[in-house]
Amino acid sequence: MKIKTLIVDDEPHAIEVIEKYIENFPEIELVAKCNNAIMAFQILQQNKIDLMFLDIKMPGLLGTDFIRSLKHPPKVIFTTAYQDYALEGFDLSAVDYLLKPIPFDRFLKAIDKVFALYKVNTSQKINIAEKAVDQKSDVFLYLRVERKMVKVNVADIYWIESLKDYIKVVLKDKVLISKQKISLLEELLPEEKFMRIHRSFIVSTDKIESYHAYSVELLGIELPIGRNYKTECHKRLKNI
C-alpha cells in the first residue's frame, strides 16, 4: 500500500527537507504540499490523505487548532521549531513531534512509527534502515540564522559552542550563530559522530586533530573537556 501524504508548512526550506526525506521511502506517496491551513483543508476535502506533516506555528491558524477543527483528521506528525507545543501535540494523538532542524535519523524514527501503524512488514523497515545508514554522510540540518533557514551538512560541522540562548556552529570556512539551546541540537545530531565534551561544547569526533587529558584540538584550537564529561570522553577518544 501507499501511505498518501500531505506536507503543510509556511517555510519553503522546511518543506524541501521533508520532501527530500520522503523520497527515501517508496511506501510513502507525497500527494500535495502547501503553506497554510486553508489550503490544507481544501486538499483534504479533495484527496484521501493518510499522513500529514504539519507545522504548528503558521500565520492565521496554529496547526494544533487546525487539527481540532477536523472531524476526521489523518495521522499527524507535527513539525516545529518550538518545543513548547510538544505536550499539546501528543494530547492530540500525534504519531510524533519533530523539532526543527530535523535530522534524517530522527525522521526515520517517526516513519518507523507510521509503518508500525500501517503494518509495513519488517523486511521493508530493515531495508530503509540500511538505506539511512548509507546516507549518513548526506544528513543535513536547517538552522535559523537571523531571519532565514540556512542548510548545513552535518559532515561539515567541526564543533558547536553554547552562548546562553544561542549556539555558535563552527564550519571549516564560516561560523553560524543560531538562537537555540545546545541541548536541543545535541538531540538532533547523530550521536555516533558527535560528542559532548563540556556543558558548552559538542565536537565532531571525525574532526579531532589531537587530544590530551583536559582538551581536544580542532582547526588548531583547543577546547576544554569538562570534569563531568571526562570519563565518557576518554572512552570515546580511545576508539577514534
Side-chain angles (χ1 to χ4, degrees), residues 32-224:
K33 50 191 177 181
C34 61
N35 58 17
N36 62 68
I38 301 301
M39 292 178 64
F41 181 77
Q42 294 171 349
I43 292 167
L44 289 171
Q45 296 300 304
Q46 298 168 8
N47 300 272
K48 179 184 181 297
I49 299 295
D50 304 306
L51 175 66
M52 180 163 54
F53 288 91
L54 179 62
D55 188 20
I56 290 182
K57 219 166 186 183
M58 296 184 295
L61 185 65
L62 292 176
T64 46
D65 292 336
F66 175 52
I67 288 297
R68 289 192 184 92
S69 73
L70 300 175
K71 289 184 178 179
H72 304 289
K75 302 296 182 186
V76 176
I77 295 176
F78 284 116
T79 60
T80 180
Y82 304 92
Q83 55 186 330
D84 301 348
Y85 295 95
L87 183 59
E88 184 180 5
F90 285 117
D91 282 345
L92 292 169
S93 300
V95 175
D96 211 337
Y97 186 97
L98 300 178
L99 285 169
K100 300 174 184 177
I102 305 168
F104 186 74
D105 286 7
R106 183 64 185 85
F107 185 86
L108 176 61
K109 291 179 182 178
I111 294 302
D112 191 60
K113 293 178 183 179
V114 173
F115 283 4
L117 290 171
Y118 287 100
K119 296 181 171 57
V120 175
N121 69 51
T122 305
S123 63
Q124 287 174 302
K125 286 192 276 189
I126 289 173
N127 290 337
I128 290 167
E130 288 174 348
K131 185 182 290 186
V133 171
D134 291 341
Q135 294 184 356
K136 281 189 184 293
S137 61
D138 296 325
V139 172
F140 58 87
L141 306 171
Y142 276 97
L143 298 177
R144 186 181 296 278
V145 179
E146 295 179 347
R147 294 190 176 184
K148 60 184 178 181
M149 301 297 287
V150 177
K151 182 178 179 179
V152 179
N153 193 314
V154 166
D156 294 336
I157 297 174
Y158 277 73
W159 75 84
I160 300 100
E161 179 179 353
S162 174
L163 305 171
K164 292 187 177 180
D165 292 332
Y166 290 80
I167 55 170
K168 178 168 74 173
V169 180
V170 179
L171 311 176
K172 186 173 183 179
D173 55 351
K174 61 183 175 181
V175 173
L176 302 174
I177 305 296
S178 179
K179 188 173 183 180
Q180 62 179 287
K181 298 286 189 179
I182 192 171
S183 55
L184 174 58
L185 195 61
E186 182 180 17
E187 293 177 8
L188 300 176
L189 293 167
E191 61 183 38
E192 73 278 5
K193 294 290 186 181
F194 288 85
M195 177 171 63
R196 187 79 174 260
I197 64 168
H198 188 280
R199 66 180 183 177
S200 297
F201 293 100
I202 298 171
V203 301
S204 168
T205 54
D206 291 341
K207 304 291 194 302
I208 294 174
E209 298 164 356
S210 63
Y211 68 90
H212 58 68
Y214 302 103
S215 68
V216 298
E217 184 174 322
L218 301 88
L219 293 177
I221 297 174
E222 285 194 0
L223 303 177

Side-chain angles (χ1 to χ4, degrees), residues 21-37:
Y21 287 171
I22 284 175
E23 290 174 1
N24 295 287
F25 303 92
E27 297 81 4
I28 299 177
E29 178 186 344
L30 180 59
V31 174
K33 50 191 177 181
C34 61
N35 58 17
N36 62 68

